[in-house]
Amino acid sequence: MRRLTFLLRPGWLVLALVVVGFAYACFTVLAPWQLGKNTSTEDRNGRIAASMAQDPVPVGDLLGGDGPTIEDEWRRALAQGSYLPESDVLVRLRSVESQPAYEVLTPFALDSGGTILVNRGYVRPVRGTEIPEIPPAPSGPVTLDARIRMSEGTVEDKAPFVDDGYQQVYFIDAPQVASVTGLDLEDVYLQLDADQPGGLGVIPLPQLDSGPYLSYGLQWLAFGIMAPLGLGYFVWAELRERRKSKGSQDGGDAAEAAAEAAPRTASEKLADRYGRPR
């Protein structure tokens, strides 16, 4: 065990702590994070794929009882009613097909009672971030074919504000929009399909692939395994070098001792005494 005392040096202790901390993060944070994203993406893709094979249902059927759950998200729904004029809310800092966009939210009064938020689609900013002219929602009764979506939630430091005459938000969150419009909105919203009354640029459905999350998660697991193995390799290499160094030193000492123990000739003795060449 004395051969391993070098591991108690500060440099080796710091290296060991870094390796252990990194491996712990890989197994408890990084890999679960990516694998969790893979699971949620697969669940979302499954719901979208199932919705494509289902007929739309009246939105009231989804709003009844305890309301829609995450399992109902992306279901196609039919909503009959009227848009509420002059109530548009813009969602800023959005990206649609890798280009900046504003998404336009308009409250919709249902004939069956209640009011629900409708994402009418997107418009592109002009001259930088300037808001373009936004076509108003149609007046009068209409029927919408849309998809039910859950509210996104909010972040505390991203408060709504008014700019260029429009109420603007950073997230599609029905409770937050309700607070700024003064309307009693359902805690979900509708995302319009193509060719719908009041529709703007159509927001495409997400791609039905799982993305790179599974491979990323497996890579973090591999890194968590490789880090301690790498530390073990460095310890083994250090021990090997120490054995080589000790062997060389022992061999040199033995050769020197053998030379000193060998009997000297008469000429060597005279050379030592009178300084004559040997």
Side-chain angles (χ1 to χ4, degrees):
M1 295 298 294
R2 294 179 58 187
R3 293 181 302 174
L4 298 177
T5 55
F6 70 90
L7 294 176
L8 298 178
R9 294 177 180 176
W12 282 100
L13 291 175
V14 170
L15 178 60
L17 288 175
V18 170
V19 169
V20 171
F22 176 73
Y24 179 81
C26 286
F27 288 118
T28 62
V29 178
L30 299 172
W33 168 49
Q34 292 295 332
L35 294 176
K37 291 179 70 173
N38 178 73
T39 300
S40 62
T41 301
E42 287 184 343
D43 291 343
R44 181 205 66 189
N45 292 345
R47 292 192 296 271
I48 295 175
S51 72
M52 294 177 178
Q54 296 170 336
D55 294 329
V57 298
V59 69
D61 294 352
L62 298 175
L63 299 177
D66 296 330
T69 66
I70 189 64
E71 298 302 323
D72 297 315
E73 190 168 28
W74 300 103
R75 285 285 305 274
R76 291 178 59 200
L78 294 176
Q80 294 180 324
S82 303
Y83 285 108
L84 299 182
E86 301 180 357
S87 299
D88 289 340
V89 176
L90 301 187
V91 191
R92 61 187 289 108
L93 302 182
R94 309 296 272 197
S95 177
V96 179
E97 296 179 335
S98 302
Q99 295 185 31
Y102 289 99
E103 294 183 20
V104 182
L105 310 177
T106 305
F108 187 83
L110 297 168
D111 289 344
S112 58
T115 305
I116 192 169
L117 198 62
V118 174
N119 185 347
R120 295 168 52 202
Y122 70 90
V123 293
R124 300 288 186 195
V126 296
R127 291 184 291 276
T129 60
E130 184 179 338
I131 300 171
E133 182 178 355
I134 300 175
S139 60
V142 293
T143 298
L144 305 179
D145 189 342
R147 294 179 182 273
I148 199 82
R149 298 291 311 276
M150 311 302 290
S151 290
E152 296 177 351
T154 61
V155 174
E156 186 175 352
D157 61 348
K158 297 290 187 180
F161 64 96
V162 176
D163 188 31
D164 289 338
Y166 286 97
Q167 181 71 57
Q168 299 188 35
V169 295
Y170 291 91
F171 309 95
I172 307 179
D173 186 75
Q176 185 181 70
V177 175
S179 68
V180 299
T181 60
L183 298 171
D184 184 15
L185 298 174
E186 301 285 348
D187 191 10
V188 291
Y189 70 96
L190 296 176
Q191 180 174 310
L192 289 186
D193 279 341
D195 302 321
Q196 298 301 305
L200 302 171
V202 178
I203 299 174
L205 295 177
Q207 295 294 321
L208 298 184
D209 59 65
S210 299
Y213 307 123
L214 178 60
S215 61
Y216 288 167
L218 295 178
Q219 287 175 13
W220 284 121
L221 290 176
F223 293 153
I225 294 172
M226 292 167 60
L229 292 178
L231 177 61
Y233 171 79
F234 287 131
V235 172
W236 172 80
E238 180 70 15
L239 287 172
R240 183 183 60 180
E241 290 301 318
R242 287 173 177 269
R243 283 197 298 267
K244 287 182 179 180
S245 177
K246 187 175 184 301
S248 299
Q249 182 179 357
D250 292 344
D253 292 343
E256 184 178 349
E260 291 178 355
R264 294 188 296 170
T265 64
S267 60
E268 290 175 336
K269 293 178 180 179
L270 290 173
D272 288 341
R273 178 175 295 181
Y274 300 108
R276 299 175 182 175
R278 298 182 180 183

